[in-house]
Amino acid sequence: MELSYVSLLSAFVVAVSLSLHFLFFKNKPTAGAPPGRTGWPVVGESLEFLSTGWKGHPEKFIFDRIARYSSTVFRTHLLGERAAVFCGAAGNKFLFSNENKLVRAWWPASVDKVFPSSSQSSSSQEEAIKMRRMLPNFFKPEALQRYVGLMDHIAQRHFADGWEGEKEVVVFPLTKNYTFWLACRLFVSVEDPNHVDKFAAPFSELASGLISIPVDLPGTPFNKAIKASNFIRKELVAIIKQRKVDLAEGKASPTQDILSHMLLTSDETGKFMHELDIADKILGLLIGGHDTASSACAFVVKYLAELPEIYQGVYKEQMEIANSKKEGELLNWEDIQKMKYSWNVACEVLRLAPPLQGAFREALSDFMYNGFTIPKGWKIYWSANSTHINPDCFPEPKKFDPSRFEGTGPAPYTFVPFGGGPRMCPGKEYARLEILVFMHHLVRRFRWEKIIPHEKIVVNPMPIPAKGLPVRLYPHKA
Ligand code: HEM
């Protein structure tokens, strides 16, 4: 019932937009624009773009067009927008070095509706800039060092609750639970599993509705996402109010989590952030932070199951660290620095299964790229796959080979799972820590094998094994 209602509605929206499209845009080629095609009216090539991901090969969209049009840049039409896809290391370099000069970050309009800016005058663009200014203080390596022990503590509880004593587990829901629990603890000091669970369901609704048809009527995924977002913001505001009281009474510490940090940091004019602003920022971090890292952790489990000699290398490194610790002693920053081989393995996982396939920019003015005109307002997409699985950048690109990251590692702008330039992921170091702590606890406890040998991968928008990666666990003998 609900489905047919939604389909009817979508058909209506598409029909109206189609007429508008023909009225205003037509499908005329733009002079000097890169080669390519704009596909169907309104939807453009969005369906091909998304469906190659659903089939587990998002790179196909890019490489088919590189072969047909150009290896550096091609034209397309995505998410209702005229767009150019920049390919290869040169494309990445151009975009990452021209942030706020020729291009700026861009999100689909639906994102603004699900995350309405609490200060109504500012756009998500401005909010993101504010956020970027304050994040490094919390996410820089020196600041994160003090949280390694806490991550270790949460990881131990997670493995005790979800893995130990089980013969078989489904990995993806568990890695989601791990990264979400960590984020709840490190961002807002919510540690009680029941409290964490209260947030988990609305978070899934929010994540799945974020990239959906933006129709705000009862029952649509978009509408559910808005409701979920309002619910979580309300909960976060309650936590924020309580924290203010606790800080004033000395019951909370200024460094216990990112929330305390946000409450106590003023901007350059001496102004502190409004409660709703803080709630929005934390909501953004919880969304941005946990699905990406949980996908990465799940793919670590997948590749280590498939590659026993790689597993052995990680096991050896992690056991040396484990054996150097006293009974009950938590992991610390020095231990993390010793996990060099494990991080090379994680990087190879991020190369082959990047949690984010790429990101959008918007042209701030007309400019030329490789002899083609990119008109002002066009959206530009950079794609991690255009370098990650390109034999010019990574010889034998499908081969899992952590030694690629030894020494000086890959050439600049070729390995970009976290993006690059001023918009590079601010959570990179945090993600490194949580992935390494996860690997430590995983290989210390188990070997495992995949229950579905050739499980399909779905990329929507993050890569996940279609059945969640069920595995059989073999605990190490004590
Ligand atoms: C393996 C895990 C992760 C991957 C692969 C990843 C990747 C990325 C990428 C590719 C971007 C976009 C860069 C661009 O627009 O060019 C990004 C942005 C961002 N990430 Fe991450 N991320 C991860 C984990 C995290 C974590 C743990 C957090 C927070 C704790 C986080 C917070 C953010 C934020 C706030 C942005 C937006 C930055 C801006 O707009 O300036 N990410 N991330």
Side-chain angles (χ1 to χ4, degrees):
M1 180 69 200
E2 192 180 274
L3 240 183
S4 57
Y5 163 68
V6 172
S7 336
L8 266 177
L9 196 72
S10 316
F12 173 72
V13 173
V14 169
V16 172
S17 326
L18 266 176
S19 334
L20 287 176
H21 182 89
F22 278 123
L23 267 177
F24 294 111
F25 299 117
K26 304 235 174 70
N27 209 359
K28 64 171 193 253
T30 311
R37 60 191 281 264
T38 38
W40 297 92
V42 183
V43 285
E45 295 197 293
S46 308
L47 280 179
E48 279 150 283
F49 180 70
L50 295 172
S51 69
T52 47
W54 300 333
K55 290 178 196 149
H57 305 289
E59 72 281 5
K60 192 169 162 16
F61 181 85
I62 308 290
F63 284 102
D64 281 358
R65 284 157 184 76
I66 286 181
R68 209 177 302 155
Y69 304 119
S70 143
S71 61
T72 54
V73 54
F74 61 84
R75 172 175 99 237
T76 177
H77 194 282
L78 299 174
L79 307 175
E81 303 278 348
R82 284 161 181 260
V85 177
F86 281 33
C87 306
N92 292 343
K93 181 175 179 186
F94 184 90
L95 291 179
F96 298 157
S97 359
N98 277 300
E99 183 73 38
N100 295 329
K101 296 175 200 153
L102 297 176
V103 299
R104 66 170 183 187
W106 176 82
W107 298 275
S110 58
V111 175
D112 265 340
K113 290 205 179 122
V114 177
F115 292 114
S117 168
S118 38
S119 43
Q120 292 299 325
S121 57
S122 62
S123 66
S124 60
Q125 282 286 346
E126 291 160 37
E127 290 303 316
I129 292 167
K130 273 197 224 162
M131 173 101 134
R132 276 218 79 98
R133 262 193 232 122
M134 81 137 41
L135 280 180
N137 290 333
F138 183 83
F139 285 114
K140 66 185 170 199
E142 304 87 281
L144 283 172
Q145 289 187 24
R146 70 172 90 102
Y147 298 106
V148 175
L150 193 51
M151 283 188 173
D152 188 14
H153 166 71
I154 300 280
Q156 290 186 30
R157 289 184 63 185
H158 164 76
F159 275 93
D161 282 7
W163 301 69
E164 286 168 12
E166 305 291 336
K167 289 198 173 68
E168 293 178 3
V169 292
V170 182
V171 173
F172 188 57
L174 283 175
T175 58
K176 266 181 103 148
N177 169 290
Y178 165 68
T179 56
F180 192 55
W181 194 355
L182 266 187
C184 286
R185 172 58 192 86
L186 272 106
F187 300 171
V188 287
S189 296
V190 169
E191 186 168 338
D192 170 16
N194 295 324
H195 200 175
V196 174
D197 283 351
K198 195 173 160 193
F199 279 119
F203 258 98
S204 316
E205 302 235 297
L206 182 46
S208 45
L210 209 54
I211 315 259
S212 62
I213 305 173
V215 177
D216 184 11
L217 284 172
T220 60
F222 185 61
N223 173 270
K224 286 185 190 165
I226 293 178
K227 281 198 181 132
S229 154
N230 289 339
F231 169 83
I232 302 167
R233 289 162 96 227
K234 242 168 65 202
E235 289 283 313
L236 285 174
V237 168
I239 293 174
I240 294 165
K241 284 192 190 303
Q242 183 60 44
R243 175 64 57 79
K244 278 182 157 172
V245 175
D246 290 350
L247 279 169
E249 292 176 356
K251 289 191 209 150
S253 124
T255 56
Q256 73 180 55
D257 56 19
I258 198 163
L259 170 56
S260 275
H261 179 79
M262 284 186 174
L263 279 168
L264 298 171
T265 310
S266 58
D267 67 13
E268 58 282 2
T269 65
K271 260 197 351 223
F272 289 90
M273 269 204 282
H274 189 270
E275 284 168 8
L276 264 179
D277 261 349
I278 295 181
D280 281 346
K281 304 265 170 311
I282 290 182
L283 183 57
L285 283 180
L286 286 166
I287 288 276
H290 97 283
D291 270 354
T292 43
S294 55
S295 166
C297 290
F299 275 86
V300 166
V301 179
K302 174 182 138 59
Y303 283 110
L304 291 188
E306 291 166 358
L307 303 160
E309 63 298 355
I310 306 283
Y311 172 93
Q312 201 49 41
V314 175
Y315 177 73
K316 185 169 168 280
E317 181 175 83
Q318 295 297 344
M319 286 316 289
E320 269 165 27
I321 294 166
N323 292 333
S324 72
K325 310 289 289 180
K326 293 193 205 89
E327 178 74 31
E329 189 189 347
L330 293 172
L331 288 173
N332 57 36
W333 182 249
E334 285 69 43
D335 298 323
I336 298 287
Q337 302 318 307
K338 290 180 198 152
M339 301 183 184
K340 289 199 165 45
Y341 181 73
S342 303
W343 183 239
N344 288 350
V345 170
C347 286
E348 188 64 342
V349 170
L350 291 171
R351 180 181 73 82
L352 287 166
L356 286 187
Q357 308 302 300
F360 283 99
R361 298 289 186 271
E362 181 178 45
L364 289 169
S365 55
D366 291 359
F367 64 83
M368 295 294 287
Y369 180 68
N370 261 25
F372 300 112
T373 309
I374 309 294
K376 179 179 175 185
W378 270 37
K379 308 307 174 249
I380 302 160
Y381 186 73
W382 66 263
S383 145
N385 286 320
S386 88
T387 50
H388 284 197
I389 44 177
N390 181 337
D392 294 340
C393 306
F394 295 95
E396 290 189 77
K398 296 279 168 153
K399 185 175 164 200
F400 193 99
D401 180 4
S403 74
R404 300 177 197 274
F405 295 90
E406 285 168 5
T408 50
Y413 300 103
T414 56
F415 178 63
V416 289
F418 295 101
R423 298 312 282 252
M424 183 193 254
C425 174
K428 177 177 181 259
E429 193 58 26
Y430 172 96
R432 184 173 84 95
L433 296 183
E434 65 183 331
I435 294 169
L436 287 172
V437 171
F438 175 80
M439 289 171 83
H440 178 78
H441 285 286
L442 182 71
V443 300
R444 269 186 80 164
R445 285 170 174 73
F446 311 106
R447 278 181 182 282
W448 57 94
E449 67 181 1
K450 294 199 304 181
I451 292 175
I452 308 172
H454 302 291
E455 188 174 354
K456 198 181 152 206
I457 304 301
V458 179
V459 181
N460 183 25
M462 317 257 164
I464 45 165
K467 304 280 181 204
L469 189 60
V471 297
R472 202 163 289 119
L473 296 174
Y474 301 103
H476 298 305
K477 299 201 173 62

